[in-house]
């Protein structure tokens, strides 16, 4: 498989302007697409501690030539200070662009059109859904049914995801007929009227599987849930307009002789159906073995390159109600970098890879899916497997 070079990001120059009321820093960023194919909505992230603005950044503007690019500042440590600036950019084949960025200490009331959305809702005693940003519970508690869609939900124009707030930590899926944002209105459970207007819906019955790329333990014969743990926390760290960031944290996970604190961070960018999954551990790993991959959908056909890419295509009921709902055709894909792959395995509900990262404190992989209902998606397993092969490149 031919590999495509990644975009190159480099800070070329800095210019600092200090005023009595406002401090600014100008940055020129060079971005290169050396491949022969156009790349749209390419994520670019600037870590503010790497450019050293010397002040607390409260706003930013990004220009591609004379065109302003929507961007967002994210506080990923929840200390009320911005940590990263994120934006997406279209890159024609074999091109280099210089993007101008201005960081400022002044707040801005500028609003960009949202291209992503995220929410987590808890029900009060009257059944009203109350927005929350972060929730921590003891590992012995069960709040699954008190959360409206069982955990945080997040979407781009193409797809929507939710993460279960329980020991399964499963990634579940919402497929769309048309591009657009729907979760704020449908809250993952569209009404009959919304369905009649062309809203999407849940497209996968995950049961006890890994769904799409949920990181699991491995007991020698099958994937296991993340339990027992001392504490569980799920948080939405970024709501848009360019990307959503959702953390799923398990503290004190008793696993294979270790006590692990693990955070799975899901990042979904505007214009993307794939989500990045960044996994962090507070201490370097030993010889622990994990597993992830894709669910074996009923009657599915699977694809693997035996080097970290795994996918399937199948048809099943999305929920247990087979009267109101119809079967859904779904394609799934997960890509784990080859250096973390120990072996390819299969248990009853999943196609999997075993993962090891001894001495490491983090690793990253990608998940993606399509549903047949999409007017803009993939209609055959062959087309889908070709797409996830391109995603790996």
């Amino acid at each position: 498989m031919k590999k495509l070079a990644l975009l190159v990001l480099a800070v070329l120059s800095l210019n600092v302007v200090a005023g009595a009321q406002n401090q600014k820093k100008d940055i020129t960023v060079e971005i290169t697409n050396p491949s022969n194919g156009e790349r749209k909505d390419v994520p670019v992230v600037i870590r503010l501690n790497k450019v050293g603005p010397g002040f607390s950044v409260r706003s930013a503007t990004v220009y591609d030539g004379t065109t302003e690019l929507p961007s967002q500042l994210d506080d990923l440590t929840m200390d009320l200070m911005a940590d990263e600036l994120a934006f997406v950019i279209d890159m024609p084949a074999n091109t280099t662009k210089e993007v101008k960025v201005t960081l400022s200490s002044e707040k801005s009331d500028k609003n960009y059109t949202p291209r992503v959305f995220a929410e987590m809702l808890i029900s009060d005693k009257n059944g009203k859904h109350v927005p929350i940003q972060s929730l921590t519970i003891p590992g012995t508690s069960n709040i699954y049914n008190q959360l409206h869609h069982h955990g945080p939900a997040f979407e781009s124009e193409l797809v929507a995801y939710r993460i279960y707030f329980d020991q399964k930590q499963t990634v579940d899926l919402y497929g769309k007929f048309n591009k657009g944002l729907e979760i704020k209105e449908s809250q993952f459970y569209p009404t009959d009227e919304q369905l009649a207007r062309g809203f999407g819906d849940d497209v996968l019955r995950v049961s006890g599987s890994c769904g799409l790329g949920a990181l699991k333990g491995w007991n020698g014969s099958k994937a296991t849930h993340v339990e027992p743990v001392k504490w569980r926390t799920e948080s939405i760290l970024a709501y848009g307009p360019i990307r959503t960031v959702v953390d799923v944290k398990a503290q004190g996970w008793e696993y294979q002789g270790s006590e692990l604190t693990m955070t799975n961070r899901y990042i979904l960018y505007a214009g993307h159906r794939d989500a990045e999954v960044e996994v962090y551990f507070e201490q370097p790993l030993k010889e622990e073995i994990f597993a992830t991959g894709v669910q074996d959908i009923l009657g599915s056909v699977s694809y693997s390159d035996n080097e970290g890419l795994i996918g399937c295509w199948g048809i099943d009921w999305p929920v247990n109600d087979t009267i109101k709902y119809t079967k859904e055709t779904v394609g799934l894909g997960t890509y784990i970098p080859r250096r973390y792959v120990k072996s390819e395995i299969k248990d009853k509900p999943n196609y999997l890879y075993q993962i090891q990262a001894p001495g490491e404190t983090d690793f990253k992989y990608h998940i993606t899916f399509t549903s047949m209902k999409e007017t803009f998606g993939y209609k055959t397993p062959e087309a889908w497997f070709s797409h996830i092969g391109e995603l790996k490149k």
Side-chain angles (χ1 to χ4, degrees):
M1 181 178 290
K2 182 180 179 181
K3 294 185 178 180
L4 300 180
L6 297 178
L7 292 171
V8 178
L9 176 65
V11 176
L12 294 182
S13 63
L14 303 176
N15 181 37
V16 181
V17 179
Q21 302 297 325
N22 184 21
Q23 292 178 291
K24 292 185 177 181
K25 173 171 279 191
D26 295 324
I27 302 170
T28 302
V29 179
E30 183 180 274
I31 306 172
T32 299
N33 178 10
S35 73
N36 292 324
E38 180 186 16
R39 300 184 65 179
K40 297 185 71 65
D41 290 319
V42 177
V44 179
V45 177
I46 298 175
R47 293 180 174 86
L48 299 182
N49 64 350
K50 298 295 185 181
V51 299
F55 53 83
S56 179
V57 178
R58 293 182 175 87
S59 65
T61 54
V62 180
Y63 278 92
D64 176 11
T66 59
T67 302
E68 183 177 359
L69 300 179
S71 62
Q72 71 184 63
L73 289 166
D74 291 330
D75 171 17
L76 301 181
T77 56
M78 299 180 74
D79 63 356
L80 303 181
M81 297 181 65
D83 303 302
E84 294 183 352
L85 172 67
F87 59 92
V88 294
I89 187 171
D90 294 341
M91 293 293 298
N94 300 301
T95 58
T96 295
K97 290 185 177 183
E98 289 188 3
V99 175
K100 308 296 183 180
V101 178
T102 298
L103 307 176
S104 173
S105 64
E106 284 193 338
K107 291 184 179 179
S108 172
D109 58 2
K110 185 180 299 183
N111 290 309
Y112 300 109
T113 301
R115 297 184 61 194
V116 295
F117 176 77
E119 70 176 8
M120 184 161 54
L121 304 171
I122 193 166
S123 300
D124 65 16
K125 63 181 180 180
N126 297 316
K128 182 180 179 181
H129 305 313
V130 181
I132 55 175
Q133 181 185 18
S134 184
L135 180 64
T136 299
I137 63 171
T140 53
S141 296
N142 184 347
I143 202 167
Y144 178 85
N145 288 318
Q146 280 70 52
L147 294 172
H148 178 55
H149 29 60
H150 305 309
F154 50 100
E155 66 174 332
S156 68
E157 307 101 316
L158 283 72
V159 293
Y161 297 86
R162 64 176 170 179
I163 312 294
Y164 285 169
F165 202 132
D166 64 5
Q167 73 279 11
K168 292 184 290 184
Q169 299 188 176
T170 314
V171 182
D172 196 16
L173 313 177
Y174 178 109
K176 303 180 181 184
F177 285 98
N178 305 298
K179 292 182 180 180
L181 302 181
E182 300 183 6
I183 300 303
K184 185 175 183 179
E185 184 177 348
S186 75
Q187 295 185 345
F188 220 93
Y189 302 109
T191 64
D192 290 344
E193 184 273 334
Q194 289 168 339
L195 290 171
R197 284 195 283 129
F199 270 57
D201 204 352
D202 190 340
V203 293
L204 188 66
R205 179 168 54 179
V206 298
S207 301
S209 74
C210 74
L212 174 59
L215 190 67
K216 298 289 187 178
W218 181 257
N219 70 1
S221 60
K222 65 178 182 178
T224 59
H225 301 320
V226 181
E227 59 181 344
V229 303
K230 291 184 177 178
W231 302 96
R232 296 188 192 280
T233 302
E234 299 200 5
S235 309
I236 300 176
L237 303 183
Y239 292 82
I242 302 304
R243 68 174 182 176
T244 62
V245 181
V246 171
D247 273 7
V248 178
K249 187 174 185 178
Q251 293 173 272
W253 179 18
E254 296 177 18
Y255 182 65
Q256 294 187 354
S258 298
E259 187 174 82
L260 304 177
T261 292
M262 176 180 72
T263 300
N264 296 338
R265 174 167 292 175
Y266 295 87
I267 306 175
L268 179 63
Y269 286 92
H272 282 247
R273 65 172 66 246
D274 62 295
E276 297 179 7
V277 188
E278 298 177 350
V279 186
Y280 302 97
F281 298 88
E282 287 196 355
Q283 301 293 329
L285 291 169
K286 300 174 186 175
E287 299 298 324
E288 298 91 350
I289 298 174
F290 307 96
T292 194
V294 296
Q295 177 179 344
D296 180 357
I297 304 172
L298 185 67
S300 68
V301 292
S302 65
Y303 168 80
S304 169
D305 69 354
N306 307 118
E307 293 187 344
L309 182 65
I310 190 76
C312 82
W313 178 277
I315 306 171
D316 194 11
W317 303 101
V319 294
N320 293 327
D321 185 347
T322 60
I323 303 300
K324 179 180 178 180
Y325 295 88
T326 60
K327 287 186 175 181
E328 298 280 359
T329 301
V330 177
L332 308 177
T334 297
Y335 169 61
I336 305 105
R338 179 68 184 87
R339 63 184 178 278
Y340 301 123
V341 172
K342 178 177 173 62
S343 64
E344 186 175 353
I345 49 176
K346 175 79 173 69
D347 65 5
K348 185 176 181 180
N350 305 298
Y351 302 104
L352 300 165
Y353 281 102
Q354 289 180 319
I355 297 173
Q356 267 191 319
E360 303 285 341
T361 56
D362 61 87
F363 55 84
K364 181 168 71 173
Y365 60 98
H366 281 76
I367 59 176
T368 189
F369 80 96
T370 189
S371 62
M372 179 70 85
K373 64 176 57 179
E374 295 173 354
T375 57
F376 51 88
Y378 302 86
K379 302 304 179 183
T380 66
E382 293 79 13
W384 176 243
F385 296 150
S386 175
H387 169 73
I388 63 174
E390 291 299 314
L391 174 65
K392 175 177 177 176
K393 294 180 186 180

